[in-house]
Amino acid sequence: MKRKLTNFRQKVLDAVAKIPSGHVLTYKQVAILAGSSRAYRAVGNILSRNRSKKIPCHRVVRSDGKLGGYNRGIEEKIKLLKAEKSILI
DNA sequence: CGTATGACGTGCA
DNA sequence: GTGCACGCCATAC
């Protein structure tokens, strides 16, 4: 599939996809890994549009310690994090 | 091409 | 400690 994913988007998805089980990152951290420490806003946007099941976006949480949201249902995100015993930042 | 939105973050009252 | 408002970036329409 030739997706014209922008560099930023590709990097964000790649960074999230590389998150090991039981580990979580904040939107800001992901944004930094993507190359823009101030694009955490875009990160949330991209993840919200990204429905790829291959992207464990549920491992991305807010800096406040809250989960934020999940395109498949916040409850599902909580369930997944709990099942993986994700480390809260 | 331009506008509006968004799963955020920080600052200030 | 809590609540409100603004600012920031990239994407999608």
Side-chain angles (χ1 to χ4, degrees):
Chain A
M1 304 188 307
K2 278 208 115 270
R3 288 289 180 178
K4 245 185 72 187
L5 299 174
T6 60
N7 187 309
F8 187 77
R9 208 164 113 153
Q10 180 62 67
K11 228 166 174 184
V12 172
L13 297 173
D14 186 61
V16 176
K18 281 177 182 168
I19 300 176
S21 180
H23 194 253
V24 294
L25 292 174
T26 63
Y27 291 97
K28 193 195 275 192
Q29 285 296 316
V30 176
I32 294 168
L33 294 171
S36 299
S37 55
R38 295 183 178 177
Y40 43 76
R41 214 23 118 120
V43 175
N45 240 346
I46 292 166
L47 293 177
S48 69
R49 312 271 174 171
N50 175 68
R51 280 193 191 174
S52 297
K53 213 168 93 182
K54 302 177 193 283
I55 309 298
C57 27
H58 67 265
R59 286 181 190 153
V60 185
V61 299
R62 292 184 37 164
S63 307
D64 303 286
K66 299 178 185 180
L67 302 179
Y70 196 51
N71 43 28
R72 286 201 73 206
I74 185 63
E75 296 181 30
E76 188 67 21
K77 184 171 181 175
I78 296 169
K79 193 173 178 182
L80 290 165
L81 291 170
K82 254 184 149 180
E84 298 184 353
K85 300 182 195 290
S86 298
I87 305 167
L88 298 175
I89 301 178

